[in-house]
């Protein structure tokens, strides 16, 4: 068994030395495809970070009827506390509401002039969620439904006493969910295309290597070598080439992060960016993809040679 393994690796090393140009072409092809595959995964991770940052700061606002009755706040807050999706609840009275309004539009005097926030903006309860996609649980708990008036306008009506309406940012969250799905499918499609290209190109380079050594293969057949004894060194050769390409791709992804992404970290502090841990999380998938590419490419590459 040890002698057989030694033979396989010796033949693999010999093949890599004698076909250096072809081996370099295969490694370069695997590097480009796996680098783009890893880049697609990192782009998907960046989308996830952005969506989490946006949705993580969203609050569902439950506006109360003015003037607020004595037991309304405690009763509604208890209903919200009973929901598993709610993590924290803040009570915004008139003072806090006006303070937040003034801070939000401090640089836009047009929104401050002639606006009495105490009379315009109702008192509210602000709920933070552990999963922004489950915002509809609050409207369901408070029995709020949209109704269409005679003039065609949509108005929300809540059956819970003391509740005026619920601003759950459903339109924004629905758009974010749709965007996330579209981008995820797009990234996966690009990744699949890159891996398909890697399989085709690596298989082609293996065919070139086998064609260059066709006389040697013919001699091995004449002396009684089995098909698998001839094929295995080529499979190992393809695996070595793709793994070298994968290792280079991982290094290149770290280089891209350091040279480009880290330079933006201090300039756009409000925008979440990928970290070293994200690149490390992608690395195993690149190595697995490299192994799969090598096996499939080797199988396809040798099908053109029925005597091998």
């Amino acid at each position: 068994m040890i002698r057989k393994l030694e033979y396989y690796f010796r033949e693999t090393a010999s093949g890599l030395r004698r076909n250096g140009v072809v081996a370099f072409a295969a490694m370069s092809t695997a590097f480009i495809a796996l680098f783009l595959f890893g880049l697609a995964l990192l782009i998907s991770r960046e989308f996830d970070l952005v969506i989490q940052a946006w949705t993580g700061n969203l609050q569902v606002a439950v506006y109360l009827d003015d003037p607020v009755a004595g037991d309304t706040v405690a009763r509604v807050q208890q209903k919200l506390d009973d929901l598993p999706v709610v993590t924290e609840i803040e009570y915004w009275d008139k003072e806090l509401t006006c303070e937040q309004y003034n801070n939000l539009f401090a640089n836009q005097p047009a929104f401050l002039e002639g606006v009495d926030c105490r009379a315009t903006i109702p008192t509210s309860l602000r709920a933070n969620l552990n999963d922004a996609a489950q915002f509809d649980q609050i409207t369901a708990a408070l029995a709020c439904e949209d109704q269409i008036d005679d003039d065609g306008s949509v108005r929300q009506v809540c059956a819970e006493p003391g509740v005026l309406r619920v601003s759950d940012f459903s339109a924004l969250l629905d758009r974010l969910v749709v965007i996330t799905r579209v981008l995820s499918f797009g990234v996966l499609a690009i990744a699949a295309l890159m891996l398909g290209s890697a399989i085709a190109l690596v298989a082609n380079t293996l065919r070139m290597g086998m064609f260059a050594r066709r006389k040697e293969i013919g001699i091995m057949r004449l002396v009684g070598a089995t098909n698998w004894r001839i094929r295995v060194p080529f499979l190992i050769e393809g695996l070595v080439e793709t793994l070298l390409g994968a290792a280079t791709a991982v290094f290149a992804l770290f280089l891209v992060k350091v040279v480009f992404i880290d330079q933006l970290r201090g300039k756009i502090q409000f925008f979440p960016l990928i970290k070293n841990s994200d690149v490390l999380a992608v690395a195993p998938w690149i190595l697995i993809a490299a192994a799969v590419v090598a096996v499939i490419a080797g199988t396809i590459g040798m099908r053109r040679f029925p005597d091998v």
Side-chain angles (χ1 to χ4, degrees):
M1 183 65 180
I2 296 177
R3 293 183 62 183
K4 185 178 292 187
L5 291 176
E6 182 182 354
Y7 163 77
Y8 286 146
F9 285 106
R10 186 175 64 249
E11 287 297 310
T12 300
S14 175
L16 291 173
R17 286 197 305 269
R18 284 180 296 180
N19 299 278
V21 175
V22 175
F24 180 76
M27 189 190 74
S28 301
T29 299
F31 159 70
I32 294 173
L34 293 170
F35 172 76
L36 293 176
F37 172 69
L39 192 62
L41 295 180
L42 287 180
I43 291 173
S44 177
R45 174 58 181 162
E46 181 63 30
F47 288 152
D48 290 339
L49 290 175
V50 172
I51 296 299
Q52 290 174 9
W54 287 353
T55 58
N57 295 326
L58 288 178
Q59 291 179 320
V60 175
V62 179
Y63 291 103
L64 307 177
D65 288 321
D66 283 332
V68 179
D71 65 334
T72 299
V73 175
R75 175 168 42 79
V76 175
Q77 187 168 354
Q78 184 59 49
K79 277 185 171 290
L80 298 179
D81 278 330
D82 292 339
L83 298 176
V85 73
V86 176
T87 59
E88 185 181 0
I89 300 174
E90 298 179 5
Y91 174 59
W92 285 29
D93 57 13
K94 291 294 185 179
E95 287 72 17
L96 180 58
T97 300
C98 290
E99 178 183 347
Q100 294 292 335
Y101 180 82
N102 292 330
N103 291 336
L104 180 63
F105 297 105
N107 297 324
Q108 303 180 47
F111 289 94
L112 299 177
E113 296 177 357
V115 176
D116 184 0
C117 66
R118 285 181 170 270
T120 305
I121 306 176
T123 302
S124 62
L125 290 169
R126 305 296 176 110
N128 293 325
L129 311 180
N130 55 24
D131 183 3
Q134 303 297 322
F135 58 86
D136 55 348
Q137 290 189 19
I138 293 182
T139 54
L142 301 178
C144 297
E145 296 180 351
D146 291 336
Q147 294 184 357
I148 301 177
D149 293 334
D150 295 335
D151 58 358
S153 60
V154 179
R155 179 170 57 91
Q156 189 182 71
V157 177
C158 298
E160 180 67 26
V163 176
L164 179 62
R165 67 179 184 276
V166 175
S167 293
D168 54 14
F169 306 100
S170 57
L172 173 61
L173 290 174
D174 286 340
R175 291 191 184 97
L176 289 178
V177 170
V178 171
I179 291 173
T180 303
R181 289 176 180 172
V182 171
L183 292 177
S184 298
F185 284 130
V187 168
L188 289 176
I190 294 174
L193 180 63
M194 291 301 101
L195 292 181
S197 300
I199 290 172
L201 294 174
V202 172
N204 188 54
T205 55
L206 287 178
R207 288 173 187 164
M208 293 172 59
M210 296 180 70
F211 182 78
R213 295 158 64 183
R214 61 190 183 279
K215 292 183 179 179
E216 178 183 340
I217 293 173
I219 294 173
M220 294 177 67
R221 292 284 295 170
L222 290 175
V223 298
T226 62
N227 283 340
W228 277 108
R229 192 173 181 85
I230 299 173
R231 290 174 177 174
V232 169
F234 287 100
L235 290 175
I236 298 176
E237 184 177 330
L239 181 61
V240 171
E241 291 165 353
T242 54
L243 288 179
L244 288 174
T248 309
V250 173
F251 175 77
L253 290 175
F254 272 108
L255 193 63
V256 168
K257 176 196 163 293
V258 172
V259 174
F260 296 101
I261 297 177
D262 286 349
Q263 302 301 319
L264 300 174
R265 203 173 300 280
K267 299 178 181 178
I268 48 176
Q269 299 178 358
F270 60 90
F271 200 81
L273 298 172
I274 58 174
K275 302 177 182 178
N276 288 334
S277 58
D278 298 310
V279 181
L280 289 175
V282 167
W285 293 106
I286 295 178
L287 295 176
I288 293 173
V292 172
V293 166
V295 172
I296 298 177
T299 303
I300 294 175
M302 287 183 291
R303 287 185 63 185
R304 294 288 299 273
F305 294 86
D307 293 333
V308 177

